[in-house]
Amino acid sequence: MITLKSVHEIELMRRAGKITAAARALAGEMVKPGVTTHEIDKAVYRFIKSQGAEPSFLNYSGYPASVCVSVNDEIIHGIPGPRVLKEGDIVSVDVGAYIGGFHGDCAATYPCGKISAEAQRLIDVTQQSFFEGIRFAREGQRLSDISAAVQKYVEDNGYSVVREYVGHGIGRKMHESPEVPNFGAPGHGPRLLRGMTIAVEPMVNAGGAAVRVMPDGWTVRTQDGSLAAHYENTILITDGEAELLTLPEI
Ligand code: MF3
Ligand code: CO
């Protein structure tokens, strides 16, 4: 069942979204050589709590942190720890905040110091694939119109989309119906209606699409060791352009 949010519920989701966006921006600003991924987690935890919100990820299915920090060939769900970021890394941060009964969820990949031109292109294509997808995120379109547009843009640029993990509806629960894949033919899936709130989140590999999960049970990396990037926002479907609930960042 896909829930439609009322005007009041949308107002609450805007508040959750703003805090989530600010937490992502904070994490992104901390991406610098010499910083540990644990330091980013600690700062994000403190910030979310300071806003009167709760970190959505902490203890979610046993996840032990407030943010996912995934470096280079790690795609998603990297667990913060003693790892020290170094010049040239690309660092995906994913964060969720819960307040007033609703979640926000967003992610982005940030450069650590000076990065290669290819790494920057991967980040740019991943971010742009989100914006290509959400051109179709409006009342009357079918859900897979978004998926197909993301996939086409990524593949036209020579990269692969991850199949095993997808975007999702979001609201009172972090993961609601429907699933929002980043691949597939257009014209399928539910028709989009105003009041739907979804997280659209392309995960893009520079090489092949295949992934493997690390022995920690969380960290997902590219099977071929190629770089990966992630970009996500929580959005509201309207009768016009989608409203981005986790943008602008501040
Ligand atoms: N943004 C991710 C998602 O949409 C984060 C969930 S990871 C977990 O699924 F840490 F919370 F488990
Ligand atoms: Co998500």
Side-chain angles (χ1 to χ4, degrees):
M1 204 247 316
I2 304 177
T3 59
L4 299 181
K5 278 72 180 182
S6 68
V7 170
H8 176 62
E9 290 172 326
I10 289 165
E11 204 42 62
L12 294 170
M13 287 206 63
R14 288 193 183 105
R15 176 158 62 127
K18 278 202 173 73
I19 295 168
T20 313
R24 170 177 58 185
L26 167 66
E29 280 159 19
M30 288 184 72
V31 171
K32 294 211 170 75
V35 173
T36 69
T37 57
H38 171 69
E39 286 167 334
I40 295 175
D41 183 57
K42 214 167 48 180
V44 165
Y45 174 82
R46 288 200 184 126
F47 173 74
I48 290 173
K49 295 292 275 191
S50 79
Q51 300 301 298
E54 294 297 325
S56 302
F57 297 0
L58 189 59
N59 301 319
Y60 180 88
S61 297
Y63 186 75
S66 302
V67 62
C68 302
V69 185
S70 309
V71 183
N72 295 334
D73 61 332
E74 297 173 352
I75 308 164
I76 49 167
H77 300 174
I79 302 174
R83 181 177 188 153
V84 180
L85 298 178
K86 59 178 203 318
E87 181 97 14
D89 285 342
I90 62 169
V91 183
S92 299
V93 302
D94 189 348
V95 61
Y98 179 75
I99 186 168
F102 289 87
H103 292 275
D105 184 8
C106 65
T109 303
Y110 296 93
C112 184
K114 193 170 160 42
I115 63 170
S116 70
E118 306 115 76
Q120 187 62 54
R121 191 174 80 89
L122 175 66
I123 291 173
D124 294 344
V125 166
T126 302
Q127 180 168 330
Q128 187 58 32
S129 74
F130 165 88
F131 288 101
E132 295 296 325
I134 66 158
R135 291 169 50 206
F136 299 92
R138 66 164 69 201
E139 186 155 77
Q141 297 286 331
R142 302 286 285 265
L143 181 76
S144 85
D145 298 344
I146 302 173
S147 314
V150 170
Q151 179 178 21
K152 179 170 177 7
Y153 186 78
V154 168
E155 294 181 352
D156 284 354
N157 280 282
Y159 298 140
S160 314
V161 292
V162 168
R163 307 294 205 271
E164 287 83 351
Y165 301 87
V166 295
H168 48 93
I170 179 168
R172 291 190 185 275
K173 288 188 296 176
M174 183 164 67
H175 294 134
E176 297 186 349
S177 196
E179 290 194 343
V180 185
N182 297 300
F183 58 93
H188 295 274
R191 229 172 252 292
L192 300 175
L193 295 172
R194 72 185 83 181
M196 288 180 180
T197 46
I198 58 177
V200 178
E201 50 176 318
M203 289 150 268
V204 177
N205 297 349
V211 309
R212 62 199 167 104
V213 180
M214 294 297 95
D216 64 20
W218 283 102
T219 312
V220 181
R221 339 166 68 105
T222 60
Q223 190 152 75
D224 59 12
S226 64
L227 294 178
H230 186 197
Y231 188 69
E232 174 180 28
N233 286 298
T234 297
I235 71 171
L236 168 70
I237 304 298
T238 75
D239 58 350
E241 284 188 8
E243 182 178 328
L244 304 176
L245 300 178
T246 50
L247 276 181
E249 288 202 324
I250 15 164

Coordinates of all heavy atoms in Angstrom, one line a residue, residues 132-198:
E132 N 17.8 13.6 -13.9 CA 17.1 13.0 -15.1 C 15.9 12.2 -14.7 O 14.8 12.3 -15.3 CB 18.1 12.2 -15.9 CG 19.3 13.0 -16.5 CD 18.9 14.0 -17.5 OE1 17.9 13.8 -18.2 OE2 19.5 15.1 -17.5
G133 N 16.1 11.4 -13.7 CA 15.0 10.5 -13.2 C 13.8 11.3 -12.7 O 12.6 11.0 -13.1
I134 N 14.0 12.3 -11.9 CA 12.9 13.0 -11.3 C 12.2 14.0 -12.3 O 11.1 14.5 -11.9 CB 13.3 13.7 -10.0 CG1 14.2 14.9 -10.2 CG2 13.8 12.7 -9.0 CD1 14.2 15.9 -9.1
R135 N 12.7 14.1 -13.5 CA 11.9 14.9 -14.5 C 10.5 14.1 -14.7 O 9.5 14.7 -15.1 CB 12.6 14.9 -15.8 CG 13.8 15.9 -15.7 CD 14.7 15.7 -17.0 NE 13.9 15.8 -18.2 CZ 14.3 15.3 -19.4 NH1 15.4 14.6 -19.5 NH2 13.5 15.5 -20.4
F136 N 10.5 12.8 -14.4 CA 9.3 12.0 -14.6 C 8.6 11.7 -13.3 O 7.6 11.0 -13.2 CB 9.7 10.7 -15.3 CG 10.3 10.9 -16.6 CD1 11.7 11.0 -16.8 CD2 9.5 11.0 -17.7 CE1 12.2 11.2 -18.0 CE2 10.0 11.2 -19.0 CZ 11.4 11.4 -19.1
A137 N 9.0 12.4 -12.2 CA 8.4 12.2 -10.9 C 7.3 13.2 -10.7 O 7.5 14.2 -10.0 CB 9.5 12.3 -9.8
R138 N 6.2 12.9 -11.4 CA 5.1 13.8 -11.2 C 3.8 13.1 -11.5 O 3.8 12.0 -12.1 CB 5.2 15.0 -12.2 CG 5.1 14.7 -13.6 CD 4.8 15.9 -14.5 NE 5.9 16.8 -14.5 CZ 5.8 18.1 -14.8 NH1 4.6 18.7 -15.0 NH2 6.9 18.9 -14.8
E139 N 2.7 13.6 -10.9 CA 1.4 13.0 -11.0 C 1.1 12.6 -12.5 O 1.3 13.3 -13.4 CB 0.3 13.9 -10.5 CG -1.0 13.3 -10.4 CD -1.9 14.0 -9.5 OE1 -2.5 15.1 -9.8 OE2 -2.1 13.5 -8.3
G140 N 0.6 11.3 -12.6 CA 0.2 10.8 -13.9 C 1.3 9.9 -14.6 O 0.9 9.1 -15.4
Q141 N 2.6 10.2 -14.2 CA 3.6 9.3 -14.8 C 3.6 7.9 -14.1 O 3.0 7.8 -13.0 CB 5.0 9.9 -14.5 CG 5.2 11.2 -15.3 CD 5.4 11.1 -16.8 OE1 5.9 10.0 -17.2 NE2 5.0 12.0 -17.5
R142 N 4.2 6.9 -14.7 CA 4.3 5.6 -14.0 C 5.7 5.6 -13.3 O 6.6 6.2 -13.8 CB 4.3 4.5 -15.1 CG 3.0 4.5 -15.9 CD 1.8 3.9 -15.0 NE 1.9 2.5 -14.9 CZ 1.2 1.6 -15.6 NH1 0.4 2.0 -16.6 NH2 1.3 0.3 -15.4
L143 N 5.7 4.9 -12.2 CA 6.9 4.8 -11.4 C 8.2 4.5 -12.2 O 9.2 5.1 -12.0 CB 6.8 3.8 -10.2 CG 8.0 3.8 -9.3 CD1 8.0 5.0 -8.4 CD2 7.9 2.5 -8.5
S144 N 8.1 3.5 -13.1 CA 9.3 3.0 -13.8 C 9.7 4.0 -14.8 O 10.8 3.8 -15.4 CB 9.0 1.7 -14.4 OG 8.4 1.8 -15.7
D145 N 9.0 5.1 -15.1 CA 9.5 6.2 -16.0 C 10.7 6.8 -15.3 O 11.7 7.2 -16.0 CB 8.4 7.2 -16.2 CG 7.2 6.7 -17.0 OD1 7.3 5.5 -17.5 OD2 6.1 7.3 -16.9
I146 N 10.7 6.9 -14.0 CA 11.8 7.5 -13.3 C 13.0 6.5 -13.4 O 14.1 6.9 -13.8 CB 11.5 7.6 -11.7 CG1 10.3 8.5 -11.5 CG2 12.7 8.1 -11.0 CD1 9.8 8.6 -10.1
S147 N 12.7 5.2 -13.1 CA 13.8 4.2 -13.2 C 14.5 4.1 -14.5 O 15.7 4.1 -14.6 CB 13.1 2.8 -12.9 OG 12.3 2.8 -11.9
A148 N 13.7 4.2 -15.6 CA 14.2 4.0 -16.9 C 15.1 5.3 -17.3 O 16.2 5.1 -17.9 CB 13.1 3.9 -18.0
A149 N 14.7 6.4 -16.8 CA 15.4 7.6 -17.2 C 16.8 7.6 -16.4 O 17.8 8.1 -17.0 CB 14.6 8.9 -16.8
V150 N 16.8 7.2 -15.2 CA 18.1 7.1 -14.4 C 19.0 6.1 -15.2 O 20.2 6.4 -15.4 CB 17.8 6.6 -13.0 CG1 19.1 6.2 -12.3 CG2 17.0 7.6 -12.2
Q151 N 18.5 4.9 -15.5 CA 19.3 3.9 -16.1 C 19.9 4.4 -17.4 O 21.1 4.2 -17.7 CB 18.5 2.6 -16.3 CG 19.3 1.5 -17.0 CD 18.5 0.2 -17.2 OE1 17.3 0.2 -17.2 NE2 19.2 -0.9 -17.4
K152 N 19.0 5.0 -18.2 CA 19.5 5.4 -19.6 C 20.6 6.5 -19.4 O 21.7 6.4 -20.1 CB 18.3 6.0 -20.3 CG 18.8 6.5 -21.7 CD 17.6 6.9 -22.6 CE 18.0 7.5 -24.0 NZ 19.3 7.5 -24.4
Y153 N 20.5 7.4 -18.5 CA 21.5 8.4 -18.4 C 22.8 7.8 -17.9 O 23.9 8.2 -18.4 CB 21.0 9.5 -17.4 CG 22.0 10.7 -17.4 CD1 22.0 11.6 -18.4 CD2 22.9 10.8 -16.3 CE1 23.0 12.7 -18.4 CE2 23.9 11.8 -16.3 CZ 23.9 12.8 -17.3 OH 24.8 13.8 -17.3
V154 N 22.7 6.9 -17.0 CA 23.9 6.3 -16.4 C 24.6 5.5 -17.5 O 25.8 5.6 -17.7 CB 23.6 5.4 -15.2 CG1 24.7 4.5 -14.8 CG2 23.1 6.3 -14.0
E155 N 23.9 4.7 -18.2 CA 24.5 3.8 -19.2 C 25.0 4.5 -20.4 O 26.0 4.2 -21.0 CB 23.5 2.6 -19.5 CG 23.3 1.7 -18.3 CD 22.3 0.5 -18.5 OE1 21.7 0.5 -19.6 OE2 22.2 -0.3 -17.6
D156 N 24.2 5.6 -20.8 CA 24.7 6.4 -21.9 C 26.1 7.0 -21.6 O 26.9 7.4 -22.5 CB 23.7 7.6 -22.2 CG 22.5 7.1 -23.0 OD1 22.5 5.9 -23.4 OD2 21.6 7.9 -23.2
N157 N 26.4 7.2 -20.3 CA 27.6 7.7 -19.9 C 28.7 6.7 -19.5 O 29.7 7.0 -19.0 CB 27.4 8.7 -18.7 CG 26.9 10.0 -19.1 OD1 27.7 10.8 -19.6 ND2 25.6 10.3 -19.1
G158 N 28.4 5.4 -19.9 CA 29.3 4.3 -19.7 C 29.5 3.7 -18.4 O 30.4 2.9 -18.2
Y159 N 28.5 3.9 -17.5 CA 28.5 3.4 -16.2 C 27.4 2.4 -16.0 O 26.6 2.2 -16.9 CB 28.4 4.5 -15.1 CG 29.5 5.5 -15.1 CD1 29.3 6.8 -14.9 CD2 30.9 5.1 -15.3 CE1 30.3 7.8 -14.9 CE2 31.9 6.1 -15.3 CZ 31.6 7.4 -15.1 OH 32.6 8.3 -15.1
S160 N 27.4 1.7 -14.8 CA 26.3 0.7 -14.5 C 25.5 1.1 -13.3 O 26.0 1.7 -12.3 CB 26.9 -0.7 -14.2 OG 27.9 -1.0 -15.1
V161 N 24.2 0.7 -13.3 CA 23.4 0.9 -12.1 C 23.3 -0.4 -11.3 O 23.3 -1.5 -11.9 CB 22.0 1.4 -12.4 CG1 22.0 2.8 -13.0 CG2 21.3 0.5 -13.4
V162 N 23.3 -0.2 -10.0 CA 23.2 -1.4 -9.1 C 21.8 -1.9 -9.1 O 20.8 -1.1 -9.2 CB 23.6 -0.9 -7.7 CG1 23.3 -2.0 -6.6 CG2 25.1 -0.6 -7.6
R163 N 21.6 -3.2 -9.2 CA 20.3 -3.8 -9.3 C 19.7 -4.3 -7.9 O 18.5 -4.3 -7.7 CB 20.3 -5.0 -10.2 CG 20.9 -4.8 -11.5 CD 20.0 -3.9 -12.3 NE 20.2 -4.0 -13.8 CZ 21.0 -3.4 -14.5 NH1 21.9 -2.6 -14.0 NH2 21.1 -3.6 -15.8
E164 N 20.7 -4.7 -7.0 CA 20.3 -5.3 -5.8 C 19.7 -4.4 -4.7 O 19.0 -4.9 -3.8 CB 21.4 -6.1 -5.1 CG 21.9 -7.3 -5.9 CD 22.8 -7.0 -7.1 OE1 23.0 -5.8 -7.4 OE2 23.4 -8.0 -7.6
Y165 N 19.9 -3.1 -4.9 CA 19.4 -2.1 -3.9 C 18.7 -1.1 -4.7 O 19.1 -0.7 -5.8 CB 20.5 -1.6 -3.1 CG 21.3 -2.6 -2.3 CD1 22.3 -3.3 -2.9 CD2 20.9 -3.0 -1.0 CE1 23.0 -4.4 -2.3 CE2 21.6 -4.0 -0.4 CZ 22.6 -4.7 -1.0 OH 23.2 -5.7 -0.3
V166 N 17.6 -0.6 -4.1 CA 16.7 0.3 -4.8 C 16.2 1.5 -3.9 O 16.4 1.4 -2.7 CB 15.4 -0.4 -5.3 CG1 15.9 -1.5 -6.4 CG2 14.7 -1.1 -4.2
G167 N 15.6 2.5 -4.5 CA 15.0 3.5 -3.7 C 13.6 3.0 -3.2 O 13.3 1.9 -3.4
H168 N 12.9 3.9 -2.5 CA 11.7 3.4 -1.7 C 10.8 4.5 -1.3 O 11.2 5.7 -1.2 CB 12.3 2.8 -0.4 CG 13.3 3.6 0.3 ND1 13.0 4.5 1.3 CD2 14.6 3.8 0.1 CE1 14.0 5.1 1.7 NE2 15.1 4.7 1.0
G169 N 9.5 4.2 -1.1 CA 8.6 5.1 -0.4 C 9.2 5.4 1.0 O 10.0 4.6 1.5
I170 N 8.8 6.5 1.5 CA 9.3 7.0 2.8 C 8.2 7.8 3.5 O 7.4 8.5 2.8 CB 10.6 7.7 2.7 CG1 11.1 8.2 4.0 CG2 10.5 8.9 1.7 CD1 12.6 8.6 4.0
G171 N 8.2 7.8 4.8 CA 7.2 8.5 5.5 C 7.3 8.2 7.0 O 8.3 8.5 7.6
R172 N 6.2 7.6 7.6 CA 6.2 7.2 9.0 C 7.2 6.1 9.2 O 7.8 5.9 10.3 CB 4.9 6.8 9.4 CG 3.9 7.9 9.5 CD 2.6 7.5 10.2 NE 1.6 8.6 10.1 CZ 1.6 9.6 11.0 NH1 2.4 9.6 12.0 NH2 0.7 10.6 10.9
K173 N 7.5 5.4 8.1 CA 8.6 4.4 8.1 C 9.7 4.8 7.1 O 9.3 5.4 6.1 CB 8.1 3.0 7.8 CG 7.2 2.4 9.0 CD 6.8 1.0 8.7 CE 5.9 0.9 7.5 NZ 5.6 -0.5 7.2
M174 N 10.9 4.4 7.4 CA 12.0 4.8 6.5 C 11.8 4.1 5.1 O 12.1 4.6 4.1 CB 13.3 4.5 7.1 CG 14.5 4.9 6.1 SD 16.1 5.0 7.0 CE 16.3 3.3 7.3
H175 N 11.4 2.8 5.2 CA 11.1 2.1 3.9 C 9.7 1.8 3.8 O 9.2 0.9 4.6 CB 12.0 0.8 3.9 CG 13.5 1.1 3.9 ND1 14.4 0.5 4.7 CD2 14.2 2.0 3.1 CE1 15.6 0.9 4.4 NE2 15.5 1.9 3.4
E176 N 9.0 2.4 2.9 CA 7.6 2.1 2.6 C 7.5 1.7 1.2 O 8.5 1.7 0.4 CB 6.8 3.4 2.8 CG 6.8 3.9 4.2 CD 5.8 5.1 4.4 OE1 5.3 5.7 3.5 OE2 5.6 5.5 5.6
S177 N 6.3 1.2 0.8 CA 6.0 0.9 -0.6 C 6.0 2.2 -1.3 O 5.5 3.2 -0.8 CB 4.7 0.2 -0.6 OG 4.5 -0.5 -1.8
P178 N 6.3 2.3 -2.6 CA 6.8 1.2 -3.5 C 8.3 1.2 -3.5 O 9.0 2.1 -3.0 CB 6.3 1.7 -4.9 CG 6.5 3.2 -4.8 CD 6.1 3.6 -3.3
E179 N 8.9 0.1 -4.0 CA 10.3 0.1 -4.3 C 10.5 1.0 -5.6 O 9.7 1.1 -6.5 CB 10.8 -1.3 -4.7 CG 10.8 -2.2 -3.5 CD 11.6 -3.5 -3.7 OE1 11.8 -3.9 -4.9 OE2 11.9 -4.2 -2.7
V180 N 11.7 1.7 -5.6 CA 12.0 2.6 -6.7 C 13.3 2.1 -7.3 O 14.4 2.6 -7.0 CB 12.1 4.0 -6.2 CG1 12.3 5.0 -7.4 CG2 10.8 4.4 -5.5
P181 N 13.3 1.2 -8.3 CA 14.5 0.7 -8.9 C 15.2 1.8 -9.8 O 14.5 2.8 -10.2 CB 14.0 -0.4 -9.8 CG 12.7 -0.7 -9.4 CD 12.1 0.5 -8.8
N182 N 16.4 1.6 -10.0 CA 17.2 2.6 -10.9 C 17.4 1.9 -12.3 O 18.3 2.3 -13.0 CB 18.5 2.9 -10.2 CG 18.3 3.7 -8.9 OD1 17.7 4.7 -8.9 ND2 18.8 3.1 -7.8
F183 N 16.5 1.0 -12.6 CA 16.6 0.3 -13.9 C 15.2 -0.2 -14.3 O 14.3 -0.3 -13.4 CB 17.6 -0.8 -13.8 CG 17.2 -1.8 -12.8 CD1 16.4 -2.9 -13.1 CD2 17.5 -1.6 -11.4 CE1 16.0 -3.8 -12.1 CE2 17.1 -2.5 -10.4 CZ 16.3 -3.6 -10.8
G184 N 15.1 -0.5 -15.6 CA 13.8 -1.1 -16.0 C 13.2 -0.3 -17.2 O 13.6 0.9 -17.4
A185 N 12.3 -1.0 -17.8 CA 11.6 -0.3 -19.0 C 10.6 0.7 -18.4 O 10.0 0.5 -17.3 CB 10.8 -1.4 -19.8
P186 N 10.3 1.8 -19.2 CA 9.4 2.8 -18.8 C 7.9 2.3 -18.9 O 7.7 1.2 -19.5 CB 9.6 4.0 -19.7 CG 10.2 3.3 -20.9 CD 11.0 2.2 -20.5
G187 N 7.0 2.9 -18.2 CA 5.6 2.6 -18.5 C 5.0 1.5 -17.6 O 3.9 1.0 -17.8
H188 N 5.8 1.2 -16.5 CA 5.3 0.1 -15.6 C 5.2 0.7 -14.2 O 5.7 1.7 -13.9 CB 6.3 -1.1 -15.6 CG 6.3 -1.7 -16.9 ND1 5.5 -2.7 -17.3 CD2 7.1 -1.6 -18.0 CE1 5.7 -3.1 -18.5 NE2 6.7 -2.4 -19.0
G189 N 4.6 -0.2 -13.3 CA 4.5 0.2 -11.9 C 3.4 1.1 -11.7 O 2.6 1.5 -12.6
P190 N 3.2 1.5 -10.4 CA 2.1 2.3 -10.0 C 2.1 3.7 -10.7 O 3.2 4.2 -11.0 CB 2.2 2.5 -8.5 CG 3.6 2.0 -8.2 CD 4.1 1.1 -9.3
R191 N 0.9 4.2 -10.9 CA 0.8 5.6 -11.4 C 1.1 6.5 -10.2 O 0.7 6.3 -9.1 CB -0.5 5.9 -11.9 CG -0.5 6.5 -13.3 CD -1.8 6.6 -14.0 NE -1.9 5.7 -15.1 CZ -1.2 5.8 -16.2 NH1 -0.4 6.7 -16.4 NH2 -1.4 4.9 -17.2
L192 N 1.9 7.6 -10.5 CA 2.3 8.5 -9.4 C 1.1 9.4 -9.1 O 0.5 9.9 -10.0 CB 3.6 9.3 -9.8 CG 4.8 8.4 -10.1 CD1 6.0 9.2 -10.6 CD2 5.2 7.6 -8.8
L193 N 0.9 9.7 -7.8 CA -0.1 10.6 -7.4 C 0.4 11.6 -6.4 O 1.4 11.4 -5.7 CB -1.2 9.8 -6.6 CG -1.9 8.7 -7.3 CD1 -2.8 7.9 -6.3 CD2 -2.8 9.3 -8.4
R194 N -0.2 12.8 -6.5 CA 0.3 13.9 -5.6 C 0.2 13.4 -4.1 O -0.8 12.7 -3.8 CB -0.4 15.2 -5.8 CG -1.8 15.3 -5.4 CD -2.4 16.6 -5.8 NE -2.9 16.5 -7.2 CZ -3.5 17.5 -7.8 NH1 -3.7 18.7 -7.2 NH2 -3.9 17.3 -9.0
G195 N 1.1 13.7 -3.3 CA 1.1 13.3 -1.9 C 1.9 12.1 -1.6 O 2.1 11.7 -0.5
M196 N 2.4 11.4 -2.7 CA 3.4 10.3 -2.5 C 4.7 10.9 -2.2 O 5.1 11.9 -2.7 CB 3.5 9.4 -3.8 CG 2.3 8.6 -4.1 SD 2.6 7.6 -5.6 CE 1.1 6.7 -5.7
T197 N 5.4 10.2 -1.2 CA 6.8 10.7 -0.9 C 7.7 9.5 -1.1 O 7.5 8.4 -0.6 CB 6.9 11.2 0.5 OG1 6.2 10.3 1.4 CG2 6.3 12.6 0.6
I198 N 8.8 9.7 -1.9 CA 9.7 8.6 -2.2 C 11.1 9.1 -2.1 O 11.4 10.3 -2.3 CB 9.4 8.0 -3.7 CG1 9.5 9.1 -4.7 CG2 8.0 7.4 -3.7 CD1 9.3 8.6 -6.2

